[in-house]
Amino acid sequence: MKNPMLEVVSLLLEKLLLISNFTFFSSGAAGEDKGRNSLYETSSFHRGDVLEVPRTHLTHYGIYLGDNRVAHMMPDILLALTDDKGRTQKVVSNKRLILGVIVKVASIRVDTVEDFAYGANILVNHLDQSLQKKALLNEEVARRAEKLLGLTPYSLLWNNCEHFVTYCRYGTPISPQSDKRKVPVLPQELTIPLQKNKSDSDDAGDRRQVHKRASHCEILEWKASISQTFQLALVSIRSM
């Protein structure tokens, strides 16, 4: 069941962006190309490395594939509007990204290091230390990334760029930065004890608990999505 509040906020945000001279099929507003022409020294990068760059209110991740190419997950509203690869393959602007987050559509795509980093400093394999996890062989990491190229559902909490790279690098999709946005749930709220000879009323109660927890997760994602998209919208509009 759709959340009416989410629909209203999404509509308001879309109108706000439209008023700010946003067009769905533009390649980017003036000033959005700044920093993309910066040259990066890629000779120290190895195929399968995790590249990490700071973005507005979050960190963006990708897998280096070699030859100045990076595979990364990017939300993009155009993916829901057109199959024209000439348009969708252009660098994703902030406005396209914001609306892509709202409609939860993304792709795992390949961009140059310059377009991926967008002028920011790049950290290499920093997750190995911060997560203290043993990485797979670099070639296996790169192959996992290449197999996942294409359209994918997007979720700030459950399926973002960090989930993508941690799956490729360590075999398990995790996202510490999105975990910080989740509200802890008490252990007894996570499981339903299995009991024999349960009555119909008990089963109905269990179903209500499952539905309640699912609704709770939806609310958490809704809050995180709205917070993130409004923050990105304000930054994007101020930069116009």
Side-chain angles (χ1 to χ4, degrees), residues 141-204:
V141 174
R143 287 179 179 176
R144 280 173 172 246
E146 290 169 337
K147 287 180 181 179
L148 293 174
L149 294 177
L151 289 173
T152 182
Y154 183 80
S155 168
L156 281 167
L157 298 183
W158 315 110
N159 190 41
N160 61 40
C161 63
E162 194 172 19
H163 290 104
F164 162 64
V165 300
T166 53
Y167 167 76
C168 294
R169 182 80 174 171
Y170 313 111
T172 304
I174 57 176
S175 176
Q177 65 178 341
S178 68
D179 289 343
K180 295 176 183 178
R181 299 176 180 273
K182 299 174 186 175
V183 177
V185 181
L186 296 177
Q188 59 266 31
E189 294 177 328
L190 290 173
T191 58
I192 299 175
L194 297 178
Q195 301 176 0
K196 295 181 179 180
N197 302 321
K198 295 175 66 175
S199 66
D200 291 340
S201 61
D202 289 336
D203 288 338

Side-chain angles (χ1 to χ4, degrees), residues 14-185:
E14 181 178 342
K15 296 300 183 183
L16 178 62
L17 291 173
L18 287 170
I19 292 172
S20 302
N21 299 317
F22 172 72
T23 57
F24 285 123
F25 297 102
S26 66
S27 60
E32 288 188 340
D33 291 337
K34 61 182 179 181
R36 280 171 37 205
N37 294 324
S38 301
L39 296 179
Y40 290 88
E41 180 53 61
T42 61
S43 61
S44 62
F45 297 168
H46 300 286
R47 179 172 159 84
D49 282 349
V50 171
L51 304 187
E52 176 180 334
V53 295
R55 291 280 175 88
T56 307
H57 304 292
L58 51 82
T59 300
H60 190 53
Y61 297 90
I63 301 293
Y64 187 64
L65 301 180
D67 299 324
N68 199 40
R69 298 174 302 126
V70 183
H72 59 135
M73 182 187 293
M74 284 291 288
D76 185 2
I77 185 65
L78 280 189
L79 298 170
L81 300 175
T82 179
D83 294 325
D84 187 343
K85 291 185 177 180
R87 290 189 171 115
T88 58
Q89 283 301 310
K90 291 181 179 179
V91 177
V92 179
S93 66
N94 280 337
K95 304 176 193 70
R96 285 167 54 185
L97 184 151
I98 291 166
L99 294 178
V101 170
I102 292 175
V103 300
K104 300 182 181 181
V105 61
S107 69
I108 296 170
R109 52 182 286 152
V110 176
D111 284 306
T112 65
V113 171
E114 289 76 20
D115 288 339
F116 163 78
Y118 223 68
N121 294 326
I122 299 176
L123 295 176
V124 181
N125 296 330
H126 180 67
L127 280 177
D128 291 356
Q129 290 77 41
S130 62
L131 297 180
Q132 296 184 340
K133 285 185 172 290
K134 181 178 176 58
L136 301 172
L137 296 177
N138 270 37
E139 183 58 31
E140 172 64 18
V141 174
R143 287 179 179 176
R144 280 173 172 246
E146 290 169 337
K147 287 180 181 179
L148 293 174
L149 294 177
L151 289 173
T152 182
Y154 183 80
S155 168
L156 281 167
L157 298 183
W158 315 110
N159 190 41
N160 61 40
C161 63
E162 194 172 19
H163 290 104
F164 162 64
V165 300
T166 53
Y167 167 76
C168 294
R169 182 80 174 171
Y170 313 111
T172 304
I174 57 176
S175 176
Q177 65 178 341
S178 68
D179 289 343
K180 295 176 183 178
R181 299 176 180 273
K182 299 174 186 175
V183 177
V185 181

